[in-house]
Amino acid sequence: MASTLEKFIHSLDPRALPRVLQIQSGFYFQGSIYEMFGNECCLSTGEIIKIIGFKINKLIASICENNEVSRFSAKVELPLNFPGLYKVVADKTPYVSIEEITRKVSIGPTRFGHPCFYSPEDIKLANLTIKHGEQITFNSVEEVNGTMAVNCGVVRNNQSHSFTLPLSQEGKFYECEDDQIYTLKEIAEWKIPKCRNRIVKLSNTLHMWDSSNPLPENFDGCLILTPVYEVQAVMKFRKDIVHILSDLDVEVKDITDCYDISSFLQPLSLEDVFERTSKEFPMVAEIMEGPSGSKKPYNLLHIGKEIVIYKKYQAARVLASEIRSDSPKRHFLIPMSYKGKFKRRPREFPTAYDLELARSEKEQLHVVATKAFDSPHKELFSVSVGDQFLVQQCQTSEVLYEGRKKVIDVLACEQILSDTYKKVFLPMYMEGGFVEVIHDKKQYQLSEICKEFRLPFNVKVSVRDLSVEEDVLAAVPGLQFEEEITDSYLLISSTNSPVESWEIPVYRLNMLVHLLSRDVQTVVPPVTKTTVEEISEEQYYMVRRYENQTLHPPPRPPKKPTTLAPKPGFAVPKQGASDVLQAPKNFCVDATKKLCSNQAADVLDLQVSCQNDLVHRENKKDMTGKATLVETSVIKGLTDKALGKCEAEKEEEEEHNYDYVDENIIENIRKVFQDTTIRNKHALSEGRRDI
């Protein structure tokens, strides 16, 4: 039965791809040629196309009144990067089964992919009864004992209980109210169910209204969002991928079950190629859709290019991030073949517990305190700004607590005095600030660092990699090596001039190829080139998630005694969430200024304190080889760095005034919004702190 392309795509389950469609009523424009995104495709009546993918391209918005489109509202087109933060309005129409939820709602690994539902009736399971109205979080879909099911969870008395619900489970399931706020892009990717529209309420516009804004001035109501999809398709006699918008005025008919799908070119993603057996390599392929990029090898991978894929394999990389206080940070994947050299940079430690984690047997950790701490127990040491310590080990100590002796974990250190050392104990829960003192001036290869030191580890490029035209790491002022990972790669070269081969990542390169039935002339790959890969913020978190999913999380640091008064720190002014949301930029600027002024004051105090001490002391080493006081230049460097950071942040704020969505603003608003919501519900979980 024929239907419009729009209706077909809105109801299509991505798991049912690919689908073969026949055009029942064609689109005729300038001689039957429809041009979109640089691709031309003839959509004449009777044409056969194969749908291989689709994604939301833009949103059509209408002003909503009483959950219906306003009679006086004109439809407006909103791009996915349209500025603003929105709350999702819960859908009042129930889902009738778990299977329908998994088919229409996005469930995935990120925090956006955990939708919540409730049932108006009790659900009795083998070991648990889900009460009516109780919020159920859907975490993932997987096969359990041969049956597809959803991993779910409920929270009772601050404790999480996990269980599974089979897809065959029937009943009425309603969406729960969502307290979070989202950008339009996040809503488009995660919060619009298939075959349904989505109502959202504008929380904040993030920029001043102007005449180019399609929404009314001072609008703060609800919008009904309808997605428009970009469809990826393969034509019968074409070698490229065609992009079509789902609102194109054509009628189609699904003929997948009665058509030989193998008669089309078979586009393969890099993941599809990687899943082939090792015996099938090497192979020749032609690129149907290539990545964008001006650097090698991405500038060589254009549409129509023929390549040789020699083999698939796993390769080691070091995940590194730029060291900077503001965001966004740059992230890199560095191959072990990198030929540059690194020098160490000081690490910063926010707590005594972090000092214990960073301690190693190879060398003694030497730190300077950048924040004062008053100990609540006379048996433990009170820290002043500028105090220097050699970290020893974690042990236990007896303290007097509420009139009784209590054994707690402490960090044993040696305080460096003018000409002696004093053994002191720091509580593991101590919230202070420490900066590492570096005595090692050696230059290291990447492999040496991974072998000799524990990550994370701070470095700076001292000698750039001369084997490449441009070393992107050389311009970065500081890097933190976070962890060593293993990733999947394909080794490729050009069929025309195979003088060098390149590693391309399987899971981060958007590329489609089709295989050619041609023998490979050279089975042995030429000289392999590896490059430092700069990855996006989203790719960074995906890499970390996949790498750490099998590892156990580190132990939680000890808690501060509840009777102790918290030290004053950065706190959000006492105001409602609505007040903060109305002026997000002012909030962020004020917070930054306050943070900078506090930093500057702390480091100035540290400088004065240490310089006064250094007037009367000499830098020397004792007979045991222990380090002594830090040079004045080190403290001065810390001061200049902190003050320079504050000035840079102030100048940057004054110079730039972005109209579109700023990720820092979004995250700050989210934090304040969530914190206010939690406090209003009196549901602060144990150990959580205010912003």
Side-chain angles (χ1 to χ4, degrees):
M1 187 175 69
S3 68
T4 63
L5 178 62
E6 183 175 34
K7 184 177 180 181
F8 177 82
I9 295 299
H10 275 243
S11 61
L12 179 59
D13 187 344
R15 294 172 294 185
L17 294 174
R19 309 302 296 177
V20 178
L21 305 182
Q22 184 180 49
I23 307 299
Q24 299 293 297
S25 176
F27 182 88
Y28 297 94
F29 179 71
Q30 293 183 351
S32 301
I33 297 297
Y34 182 75
E35 187 172 328
M36 183 63 66
F37 301 112
N39 295 298
E40 296 178 352
C41 57
C42 177
L43 295 179
S44 57
T45 301
E47 182 70 64
I48 306 295
I49 62 175
K50 182 172 73 169
I51 306 297
I52 60 173
F54 59 93
K55 63 180 180 180
I56 295 179
N57 175 270
K58 59 185 177 181
L59 296 166
I60 303 299
S62 305
I63 294 178
C64 175
E65 293 180 358
N66 299 322
N67 291 340
E68 294 182 356
V69 177
S70 171
R71 292 182 300 170
F72 307 102
S73 170
K75 292 184 177 180
V76 295
E77 186 178 296
L78 299 179
L80 298 187
N81 63 347
F82 184 77
L85 295 174
Y86 305 82
K87 282 192 67 176
V88 171
V89 177
D91 195 340
K92 303 300 181 184
T93 305
Y95 294 83
V96 297
S97 68
I98 299 298
E99 186 274 334
E100 184 188 7
I101 293 176
T102 60
R103 185 162 35 88
K104 295 182 177 180
V105 179
S106 297
I107 301 174
T110 73
R111 64 187 178 92
F112 303 117
H114 297 156
C116 296
F117 296 86
Y118 70 91
S119 171
E121 299 177 355
D122 290 353
I123 302 175
K124 294 183 179 180
L125 305 174
N127 302 319
L128 188 68
T129 297
I130 309 303
K131 300 176 182 178
H132 63 276
E134 193 167 20
Q135 179 172 296
I136 307 170
T137 303
F138 286 44
N139 295 316
S140 63
V141 182
E142 61 182 52
E143 187 175 337
V144 179
N145 298 326
T147 303
M148 294 304 296
V150 179
N151 284 321
C152 304
V154 295
V155 177
R156 294 174 180 172
N157 299 324
N158 293 329
Q159 289 189 338
S160 180
H161 302 271
S162 300
F163 58 94
T164 60
L165 289 175
L167 267 57
S168 58
Q169 180 80 38
E170 295 183 345
K172 290 184 178 181
F173 297 92
Y174 292 87
E175 264 191 337
C176 294
E177 294 291 339
D178 192 342
D179 292 330
Q180 305 295 316
I181 50 179
Y182 305 94
T183 64
L184 270 190
K185 187 174 185 293
E186 292 166 348
I187 290 173
E189 291 177 351
W190 293 100
K191 299 298 178 182
I192 299 184
K194 297 292 294 181
C195 303
R196 299 192 183 199
N197 295 329
R198 171 59 77 190
I199 300 177
V200 298
K201 180 174 176 56
L202 182 63
S203 288
N204 190 269
T205 58
L206 293 184
H207 78 321
M208 298 297 291
W209 186 90
D210 56 45
S211 57
S212 63
N213 193 324
L215 299 177
E217 187 174 2
N218 299 322
F219 176 76
D220 62 353
C222 292
L223 297 172
I224 297 181
L225 303 179
T226 303
V228 176
Y229 292 89
E230 178 187 305
V231 181
Q232 288 181 306
V234 178
M235 307 293 287
K236 182 70 174 178
F237 302 107
R238 293 176 65 116
K239 291 186 177 181
D240 56 348
I241 305 297
V242 173
H243 299 266
I244 311 167
L245 290 182
S246 63
D247 59 353
L248 187 63
D249 187 18
V250 295
E251 289 190 350
V252 297
K253 181 180 179 180
D254 190 343
I255 59 171
T256 306
D257 296 336
C258 57
Y259 197 87
D260 182 13
I261 200 169
S262 62
S263 61
F264 285 91
L265 287 178
Q266 179 63 37
L268 298 175
S269 65
L270 296 186
E271 294 95 322
D272 296 328
V273 175
F274 193 82
E275 289 175 1
R276 300 259 171 156
T277 63
S278 298
K279 295 180 180 179
E280 298 180 67
F281 293 89
M283 58 182 69
V284 181
E286 182 179 348
I287 298 175
M288 299 182 70
E289 190 165 82
S292 59
S294 58
K295 297 181 180 179
K296 286 186 177 181
Y298 305 128
N299 59 346
L300 306 175
L301 304 177
H302 52 78
I303 296 175
K305 179 81 171 181
E306 292 186 4
I307 59 174
V308 179
I309 306 176
Y310 290 98
K311 61 179 179 177
K312 64 173 186 176
Y313 55 93
Q314 303 282 324
R317 293 288 189 272
V318 171
L319 180 61
S321 295
E322 182 181 17
I323 300 175
R324 57 186 298 175
S325 59
D326 56 338
S327 59
K329 298 180 181 179
R330 298 170 70 188
H331 306 284
F332 305 91
L333 286 174
I334 310 174
M336 289 300 179
S337 58
Y338 178 79
K339 295 181 175 58
K341 291 186 177 182
F342 302 93
K343 278 188 175 181
R344 297 175 61 176
R345 280 199 58 178
R347 291 171 286 179
E348 296 182 8
F349 307 99
T351 68
Y353 182 72
D354 293 296
L355 294 177
E356 166 60 18
L357 294 179
R359 186 176 59 86
S360 70
E361 301 297 331
K362 178 179 173 58
E363 63 178 356
Q364 202 161 32
L365 184 59
H366 178 191
V367 295
V368 181
T370 58
K371 184 178 178 182
F373 170 77
D374 295 324
S375 173
H377 308 292
K378 64 179 181 180
E379 299 89 348
L380 304 180
F381 189 70
S382 292
V383 177
S384 299
V385 174
D387 285 348
Q388 299 181 50
F389 303 95
L390 298 176
V391 179
Q392 302 291 337
Q393 62 186 7
C394 177
Q395 63 186 63
T396 57
S397 176
E398 276 192 352
V399 296
L400 198 62
Y401 182 69
E402 294 182 349
R404 292 183 298 176
K405 287 188 176 181
K406 184 179 180 181
V407 177
I408 65 170
D409 290 329
V410 297
L411 185 65
C413 300
E414 285 188 331
Q415 183 189 12
I416 303 175
L417 302 175
S418 57
D419 52 5
T420 186
Y421 301 90
K422 176 184 176 183
K423 189 163 186 178
V424 297
F425 297 112
L426 305 180
M428 294 294 281
Y429 59 76
M430 170 186 169
E431 296 178 10
F434 301 92
V435 174
E436 182 181 21
V437 179
I438 301 295
H439 302 280
D440 183 3
K441 305 300 181 183
K442 180 182 174 182
Q443 298 185 111
Y444 291 92
Q445 298 278 1
L446 179 61
S447 56
E448 292 177 315
I449 293 176
C450 294
K451 182 179 179 181
E452 297 181 20
F453 299 100
R454 181 185 299 175
L455 304 185
F457 198 74
N458 292 0
V459 297
K460 174 179 172 56
V461 174
S462 56
V463 179
R464 77 175 188 88
D465 187 348
L466 299 176
S467 66
V468 296
E469 295 179 4
E470 180 185 1
D471 185 353
V472 295
L473 299 182
V476 180
L479 287 168
Q480 182 177 77
F481 291 165
E482 298 187 10
E483 60 182 322
E484 188 176 343
I485 70 167
T486 302
D487 207 358
S488 302
Y489 290 88
L490 294 173
L491 187 64
I492 68 165
S493 73
S494 171
T495 56
N496 299 331
S497 54
V499 294
E500 56 189 15
S501 59
W502 299 86
E503 289 181 343
I504 58 173
V506 172
Y507 298 108
R508 290 182 302 280
L509 199 60
N510 186 22
M511 191 167 94
L512 292 175
V513 302
H514 74 92
L515 302 182
L516 303 177
S517 54
R518 188 188 307 171
D519 293 333
V520 179
Q521 300 297 326
T522 306
V523 178
V524 179
V527 177
T528 301
K529 295 279 188 176
T530 57
T531 59
V532 174
E533 181 186 357
E534 184 168 355
I535 59 177
S536 67
E537 193 81 5
E538 182 180 358
Q539 291 171 337
Y540 165 78
Y541 286 112
M542 292 296 285
V543 167
R544 297 218 68 175
R545 179 177 67 84
Y546 284 128
E547 188 65 22
N548 294 325
Q549 61 186 353
T550 59
L551 302 178
H552 297 293
R556 294 177 64 186
K559 293 180 182 176
K560 192 174 183 178
T562 55
T563 57
L564 301 177
K567 288 182 70 63
F570 171 55
V572 178
K574 293 184 179 179
Q575 56 183 341
S578 59
D579 296 333
V580 178
L581 291 173
Q582 287 171 4
K585 288 187 178 179
N586 293 337
F587 164 75
C588 292
V589 172
D590 292 344
T592 304
K593 288 178 180 176
K594 182 176 180 181
L595 210 54
C596 285
S597 62
N598 288 347
Q599 263 188 336
D602 283 348
V603 179
L604 281 172
D605 289 344
L606 181 148
Q607 183 186 28
V608 172
S609 173
C610 287
Q611 286 179 340
N612 289 340
D613 289 342
L614 287 168
V615 170
H616 306 289
R617 300 174 183 175
E618 292 183 355
N619 294 334
K620 59 184 178 179
K621 271 193 172 183
D622 61 5
M623 298 302 292
T624 60
K626 293 179 180 176
T628 56
L629 288 167
V630 187
E631 293 81 5
T632 309
S633 59
V634 175
I635 306 301
K636 186 178 184 301
L638 291 173
T639 309
D640 294 342
K641 176 184 173 184
L643 293 176
K645 185 189 303 179
C646 297
E647 290 297 326
E649 288 175 352
K650 180 188 287 186
E651 289 175 7
E652 183 177 353
E653 202 285 320
E654 291 173 352
E655 290 175 5
H656 301 290
N657 185 18
Y658 296 102
D659 284 339
Y660 271 67
V661 179
D662 184 289
E663 295 297 331
N664 296 328
I665 295 175
I666 294 173
E667 289 307 314
N668 275 294
I669 295 175
R670 275 204 179 105
K671 289 175 184 176
V672 178
F673 188 87
Q674 292 166 4
D675 184 61
T676 306
T677 304
I678 292 171
R679 280 203 302 268
N680 289 342
K681 290 185 175 181
H682 304 288
L684 275 172
S685 54
E686 186 178 8
R688 185 177 298 173
R689 297 177 296 177
D690 289 337
I691 296 175

